[in-house]
Amino acid sequence: MTAIWLNAAMLLASTGGFLALALASEKPGAALLGQKPAPARRWGLRLLGWPLLALALVEGTVGWGPSVGWVTWLGWLTVAGAGLVFAFPYWERARAAAPARERRAAAPVPLLPPLRARPLRAAVLAAVVIAPPAYLAAVALSHEQPVLRADAIAGQAGPWRFTLAEADRRVPRILLGDFPTKSYQIRFCDACDDQIRAAYLKVNKPRSLRGAGLVFGSDRWNRSVEIQLPNSTGPDSEIWLTVEGKDGSLHHASFPIRQISPATADWLQHRRQEP
């Protein structure tokens, strides 16, 4: 639920920032307010609008990191800007056509115009209106990235920091031939990622790069791999990570399987006790 509230906060800040900046400009400000905004009000609205846009960026970078935060921020700026671009012309026409006495009475102006005679505009406006709640609903229903969960393990292999987590917290998957497998995800720090050629994972300590295990898929960011658990794997076994740098260096890190996959360790313990 943290993600959906974070997205909602970014959308709210982006919309508020653009609206304040629009009110601070001469033509849109006069159309929306019914009169040309005074210089002091324009400066005040600018001082409100830009910090709100910056706040949306801060929310994204703090919530998801610089790389994802920037992209999410630009996405919500686009949604907020598009919505206001479609709403402003109608608002301006509605105020211009309203009688002076209705304007003085501050009659509320509907956000959306009558669209029965303009099906194309209706379709575009419907998409603009539906897109934000649809995206937020998708975020709410989507599964959280494993490396963002509270049980993800933070570690370091040589100079590179990373976060490692099992893809799901269930017991291993059994493939044909009674081979248990387990999936994991890793993410290196943004500064580290460019320095890494590949990362490998296996049960028990590797003797060489050739035996370092299976390589994490994807060349950047969230990398995933599914490894086989050998028959000798027990609840006290270790999972070893091997990281190969673009400079040719190799670095290792290891974790007790019980630390990174508690349910799997219990399953292995129960399996070993079976007759």
Side-chain angles (χ1 to χ4, degrees), residues 164 182 184 199-216 225-230 232-233 237-243 252-257 260:
L164 178 68
K182 193 68 182 165
Y184 295 89
Y200 308 83
L201 199 69
K202 74 181 297 286
V203 177
N204 299 326
K205 185 176 181 179
R207 297 181 179 179
S208 64
L209 180 60
R210 181 173 296 181
L214 294 179
V215 64
F216 281 89
V225 69
E226 185 174 19
I227 63 172
Q228 180 181 336
L229 306 180
S232 60
T233 306
S237 297
E238 290 185 330
I239 292 182
W240 279 73
L241 170 69
T242 300
V243 186
H252 303 276
S254 62
F255 308 92
I257 199 169
I260 192 170

Side-chain angles (χ1 to χ4, degrees), residues 190-272:
D190 292 348
C192 310
D193 208 278
D194 288 331
Q195 306 172 24
I196 294 169
R197 177 174 295 152
Y200 308 83
L201 199 69
K202 74 181 297 286
V203 177
N204 299 326
K205 185 176 181 179
R207 297 181 179 179
S208 64
L209 180 60
R210 181 173 296 181
L214 294 179
V215 64
F216 281 89
S218 175
D219 295 329
R220 293 178 63 82
W221 313 129
N222 293 342
R223 312 173 189 226
S224 301
V225 69
E226 185 174 19
I227 63 172
Q228 180 181 336
L229 306 180
N231 292 332
S232 60
T233 306
D236 299 323
S237 297
E238 290 185 330
I239 292 182
W240 279 73
L241 170 69
T242 300
V243 186
E244 180 185 10
K246 292 181 179 179
D247 59 358
S249 61
L250 291 177
H251 302 279
H252 303 276
S254 62
F255 308 92
I257 199 169
R258 186 170 294 280
Q259 179 186 6
I260 192 170
S261 301
T264 297
D266 293 339
W267 180 82
L268 291 168
Q269 180 70 40
H270 178 73
R271 194 185 198 196
R272 177 170 290 185

Side-chain angles (χ1 to χ4, degrees), residues 176-199:
L176 293 176
D178 197 29
F179 295 132
T181 63
K182 193 68 182 165
S183 297
Y184 295 89
Q185 186 181 91
I186 194 170
R187 183 181 178 92
F188 294 94
C189 70
D190 292 348
C192 310
D193 208 278
D194 288 331
Q195 306 172 24
I196 294 169
R197 177 174 295 152

Side-chain angles (χ1 to χ4, degrees), residues 33-272:
L33 297 173
Q35 59 182 359
K36 184 177 179 180
R41 176 177 290 186
R42 292 175 61 188
W43 275 106
L45 289 169
R46 289 195 186 102
L47 291 176
L48 175 64
W50 289 114
L52 281 174
L53 296 181
L55 174 62
L57 175 59
V58 171
E59 290 169 343
T61 53
V62 171
W64 293 297
S67 55
V68 178
W70 270 94
V71 175
T72 308
W73 179 65
L74 292 175
W76 283 126
L77 287 184
T78 303
V79 171
L84 292 176
V85 163
F86 278 98
F88 284 167
Y90 168 69
W91 200 344
E92 182 178 357
R93 289 195 300 270
R95 283 197 174 275
R101 61 178 178 273
E102 292 183 4
R103 267 184 262 162
R104 286 195 297 269
V109 178
L111 177 62
L112 298 177
L115 301 169
R116 288 173 293 180
R118 299 180 178 181
L120 179 59
R121 177 173 291 186
V124 173
L125 282 176
V128 171
V129 171
I130 293 173
Y135 176 74
L136 294 177
V139 171
L141 296 174
S142 64
H143 297 291
E144 186 178 17
Q145 288 287 343
V147 291
L148 299 179
R149 294 196 315 250
D151 63 323
I153 295 176
Q156 186 158 341
W160 305 308
R161 301 188 310 279
F162 62 85
T163 305
L164 178 68
E166 54 182 347
D168 60 72
R169 289 170 277 201
R170 298 189 293 269
V171 299
R173 231 169 32 106
I174 305 297
L175 300 181
L176 293 176
D178 197 29
F179 295 132
T181 63
K182 193 68 182 165
S183 297
Y184 295 89
Q185 186 181 91
I186 194 170
R187 183 181 178 92
F188 294 94
C189 70
D190 292 348
C192 310
D193 208 278
D194 288 331
Q195 306 172 24
I196 294 169
R197 177 174 295 152
Y200 308 83
L201 199 69
K202 74 181 297 286
V203 177
N204 299 326
K205 185 176 181 179
R207 297 181 179 179
S208 64
L209 180 60
R210 181 173 296 181
L214 294 179
V215 64
F216 281 89
S218 175
D219 295 329
R220 293 178 63 82
W221 313 129
N222 293 342
R223 312 173 189 226
S224 301
V225 69
E226 185 174 19
I227 63 172
Q228 180 181 336
L229 306 180
N231 292 332
S232 60
T233 306
D236 299 323
S237 297
E238 290 185 330
I239 292 182
W240 279 73
L241 170 69
T242 300
V243 186
E244 180 185 10
K246 292 181 179 179
D247 59 358
S249 61
L250 291 177
H251 302 279
H252 303 276
S254 62
F255 308 92
I257 199 169
R258 186 170 294 280
Q259 179 186 6
I260 192 170
S261 301
T264 297
D266 293 339
W267 180 82
L268 291 168
Q269 180 70 40
H270 178 73
R271 194 185 198 196
R272 177 170 290 185

